[in-house]
Amino acid sequence: MRALNKKRVLVTGGAGFLGSHLCERLLEQDCDVLCADNYFTGSRDNVAHLLGNPHFELMRHDVTFPLYVEVDEIYNLACPASPIHYQHDPVQTTKTSVHGAINMLGLAKRLNAKIFQASTSEVYGDPAVHPQPEEYWGNVNTIGPRACYDEGKRCAETLFFDYHRQHRLPIKVIRIFNTYGPRMHPNDGRVVSNFIMQALKGEPITVYGDGSQTRSFCYVDDLIEGFLRFMAAPAGVTGPLNLGNPGEFTMIELAEMVIRLTRSASRIEHRPLPQDDPKQRRPDITKAKALLNWEPRVPLEDGLGRTIAYFRNRFFA
């Protein structure tokens, strides 16, 4: 029997890149952790080192189906987050965001549990406002190839706030900007993992368009710290809240940094820009600084060094 004062926390998508790091931190905070994942993009390997911990439980489950468990808090991270994966089955991606939100909100309502939604900067689409504050409503193509993810996450946010208003459910909604670090999927199609894998293989670094489009990159440890601070914030602090690194880099700058850090002989190769690819993406984290006293601390070069070491040891040892 678990101690009466020990918090039991459900993490959906807990065997994924972000989820596995979150499970680690929750265990460090002396929580009982229930990790649920259907392994579409997550992997048992990401949490294998936690399986011997008596306070960690791993369950194979798809959030598009109801889940009947007893927990105190819920972190809803379940959804493929890279274009290659979420465009593989776009209908299922929308279901994961929408049905998954409905099922987890229903569980939270039954338990009166605090629930956290991992939303995304993709709700801003190809932004006409830069950097993007939480008040910006976005510029999203509702029928484009990225809409299954963008609109699914937007609908999930709507559901969270309607449950909050209608049922007084305690919610926390985070909008995550580009995050990177160890345990990223090597073939997820996202720019950091793409560039690192290509550089380590000595293949051309594929840059889409002229490489002038920008992104902001937050190291995973910084992001998870933001998750935990936000979940611990007073009930009235619901979000949505941007979490990300306001440092802005062009794709060319990132490619050159990866080539230098890997000591690769790879050259840069330009490809056509994909449809609806945002030209710029940078968070306004004024609210996160004020509400959580949070801002990223890991510089891009340091974080890339740690991520490159992980990829090299995991896939090239």
Side-chain angles (χ1 to χ4, degrees), residues 82-107:
S82 72
I84 283 179
H85 290 146
Y86 68 62
Q87 291 173 12
H88 172 73
D89 187 345
V91 172
Q92 186 63 27
T93 295
T94 303
K95 285 182 177 179
T96 299
S97 286
V98 179
H99 291 186
I102 290 169
N103 287 329
M104 291 305 107
L105 286 162
L107 175 62

Side-chain angles (χ1 to χ4, degrees), residues 33-108:
V33 177
L34 173 58
C35 168
D37 205 296
N38 69 350
Y39 306 132
F40 176 57
T41 57
S43 168
R44 281 177 60 92
D45 290 346
N46 287 337
V47 291
H49 62 296
L50 304 178
L51 294 175
N53 189 318
H55 301 293
F56 179 78
E57 181 181 352
L58 179 60
M59 171 190 294
R60 186 174 193 133
H61 182 79
D62 187 322
V63 294
T64 60
F65 297 94
L67 181 60
Y68 302 100
V69 294
E70 303 297 318
V71 294
D72 303 303
E73 292 182 352
I74 301 167
Y75 285 84
N76 186 37
L77 274 59
C79 190
S82 72
I84 283 179
H85 290 146
Y86 68 62
Q87 291 173 12
H88 172 73
D89 187 345
V91 172
Q92 186 63 27
T93 295
T94 303
K95 285 182 177 179
T96 299
S97 286
V98 179
H99 291 186
I102 290 169
N103 287 329
M104 291 305 107
L105 286 162
L107 175 62

Side-chain angles (χ1 to χ4, degrees), residues 36-216:
D37 205 296
N38 69 350
Y39 306 132
F40 176 57
T41 57
S43 168
R44 281 177 60 92
D45 290 346
N46 287 337
V47 291
H49 62 296
L50 304 178
L51 294 175
N53 189 318
H55 301 293
F56 179 78
E57 181 181 352
L58 179 60
M59 171 190 294
R60 186 174 193 133
H61 182 79
D62 187 322
V63 294
T64 60
F65 297 94
L67 181 60
Y68 302 100
V69 294
E70 303 297 318
V71 294
D72 303 303
E73 292 182 352
I74 301 167
Y75 285 84
N76 186 37
L77 274 59
C79 190
S82 72
I84 283 179
H85 290 146
Y86 68 62
Q87 291 173 12
H88 172 73
D89 187 345
V91 172
Q92 186 63 27
T93 295
T94 303
K95 285 182 177 179
T96 299
S97 286
V98 179
H99 291 186
I102 290 169
N103 287 329
M104 291 305 107
L105 286 162
L107 175 62
K109 178 174 173 261
R110 178 175 72 81
L111 301 171
N112 193 31
K114 190 190 303 183
I115 182 167
F116 174 107
Q117 168 67 3
S119 191
T120 172
S121 62
E122 297 296 334
V123 300
Y124 298 122
D126 188 2
V129 171
H130 190 73
Q132 293 82 57
E134 291 86 350
E135 292 77 15
Y136 178 51
W137 289 358
N139 177 36
V140 176
N141 177 359
T142 63
I143 60 172
R146 301 172 72 104
C148 59
Y149 184 67
D150 302 2
E151 290 297 292
K153 288 289 192 177
R154 284 163 70 96
C155 184
E157 286 195 11
T158 300
L159 287 161
F160 266 70
F161 279 90
D162 282 339
Y163 264 77
H164 175 64
R165 285 185 287 258
Q166 188 171 338
H167 302 296
R168 302 188 180 213
L169 192 67
I171 66 165
K172 302 284 181 181
V173 177
I174 286 286
R175 290 174 177 165
I176 301 169
F177 283 69
N178 286 50
T179 303
Y180 69 99
R183 299 189 207 131
M184 291 186 81
H185 195 292
N187 301 314
D188 70 0
R190 283 186 275 194
V191 65
V192 171
S193 51
N194 264 9
F195 285 4
I196 291 174
M197 289 296 288
Q198 289 168 341
L200 290 175
K201 291 177 181 176
E203 297 174 349
I205 305 290
T206 53
V207 171
Y208 294 96
D210 63 5
S212 64
Q213 66 272 36
T214 66
R215 294 291 184 275
S216 303

Side-chain angles (χ1 to χ4, degrees), residues 200-239:
L200 290 175
K201 291 177 181 176
E203 297 174 349
I205 305 290
T206 53
V207 171
Y208 294 96
D210 63 5
S212 64
Q213 66 272 36
T214 66
R215 294 291 184 275
S216 303
F217 302 102
C218 184
Y219 189 66
V220 61
D221 290 358
D222 285 332
L223 185 79
I224 300 303
E225 177 64 26
F227 281 13
L228 297 171
R229 290 192 191 190
F230 189 45
M231 198 61 148
V237 182
T238 60

Side-chain angles (χ1 to χ4, degrees), residues 249-269:
F249 296 86
T250 68
M251 296 302 93
I252 289 292
E253 287 174 326
L254 179 68
E256 290 173 346
M257 191 179 297
V258 168
I259 289 170
R260 175 169 56 81
L261 292 173
T262 55
R263 297 186 176 88
S264 174
S266 295
R267 57 186 178 79
I268 294 173
E269 183 177 281

